[in-house]
């Protein structure tokens, strides 16, 4: 899957606030530009964890694109290879997403027969989710391999 969007680095301290600000910027500026250029249909958005380090992570707010041919320079790009994913549904408000991620990574993954594949993990926001209210739910995809 090819994704294009807004990529930014975030420190773990204040992560919820800085990622929320990134989504606001994406929704106000980049999503309309991508729609106008015909790069994406805008139906589904993704929050992609591009890399994690000891002090923070790189995150991209984006949309799936068929390829990068029409994606202008300066727009973030990411390819998520075909792989096996464990899928979790987050039904609460988006503000509680950190708790869901922590439960997946610190509880489920540790106790399961799987371990991280260290590929991009992502959130998939479809028609169930309302960006204006933060409600409606969305799915979290975690790349896994057998432990």
């Amino acid at each position: 899957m090819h994704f294009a969007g807004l990529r930014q680095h975030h420190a773990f301290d204040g992560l919820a606030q800085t990622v929320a600000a990134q989504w606001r910027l994406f929704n106000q500026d980049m999503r309309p530009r991508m729609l106008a250029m015909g790069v994406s249909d805008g139906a589904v958005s993704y929050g992609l964890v591009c890399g994690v380090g000891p002090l923070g992570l790189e995150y991209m707010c984006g949309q799936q694109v068929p390829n990068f041919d029409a994606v202008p320079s300066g727009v973030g790009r990411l390819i998520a290879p075909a792989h096996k994913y464990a899928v979790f549904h987050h039904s609460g408000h988006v503000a509680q997403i950190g708790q869901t991620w922590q439960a997946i990574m610190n509880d489920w993954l540790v106790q399961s027969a799987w371990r991280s594949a260290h590929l991009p993990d992502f959130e998939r926001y479809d028609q169930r989710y309302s960006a204006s209210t933060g409600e409606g739910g969305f799915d979290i995809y975690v790349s896994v391999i057998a432990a």
Side-chain angles (χ1 to χ4, degrees):
M1 294 171 61
H2 291 71
F3 298 96
L6 179 61
R7 284 179 81 146
Q8 293 182 344
H9 290 276
H10 300 275
F12 288 127
D13 185 34
L15 182 66
Q17 294 80 15
T18 60
V19 168
Q22 180 180 351
W23 272 109
R24 281 190 298 277
L25 183 59
F26 175 78
N27 285 324
Q28 292 169 2
D29 181 47
M30 187 162 292
R31 180 196 305 265
R33 287 190 302 148
M34 290 175 65
L35 288 170
M37 291 182 299
V39 173
S40 173
D41 67 6
V44 177
S45 293
Y46 294 84
L48 300 113
V49 179
C50 309
V52 179
L55 301 176
L57 57 82
E58 184 175 4
Y59 185 85
M60 182 166 92
C61 305
Q63 295 187 307
Q64 189 174 357
V65 296
N67 54 52
F68 297 132
D69 295 347
V71 177
S73 64
V75 174
R77 302 160 188 232
L78 181 120
I79 296 175
H83 197 74
K84 182 178 295 261
Y85 288 87
V87 182
F88 304 87
H89 183 71
H90 177 88
S91 58
H93 190 275
V94 71
Q96 286 127 10
I97 190 172
Q99 296 164 335
T100 301
W101 273 107
Q102 286 180 359
I104 293 167
M105 302 309 279
N106 297 334
D107 298 331
W108 181 85
L109 198 56
V110 172
Q111 298 169 11
S112 74
W114 303 97
R115 62 184 174 94
S116 173
H118 298 290
L119 294 171
D121 299 323
F122 57 90
E123 303 139 9
R124 183 179 187 277
Y125 299 89
D126 60 20
Q127 71 282 355
R128 297 171 294 177
Y129 178 74
S130 168
S132 62
T133 67
E135 299 283 352
F138 51 89
D139 296 322
I140 297 174
Y141 288 68
V142 176
S143 63
V144 294
I145 56 175

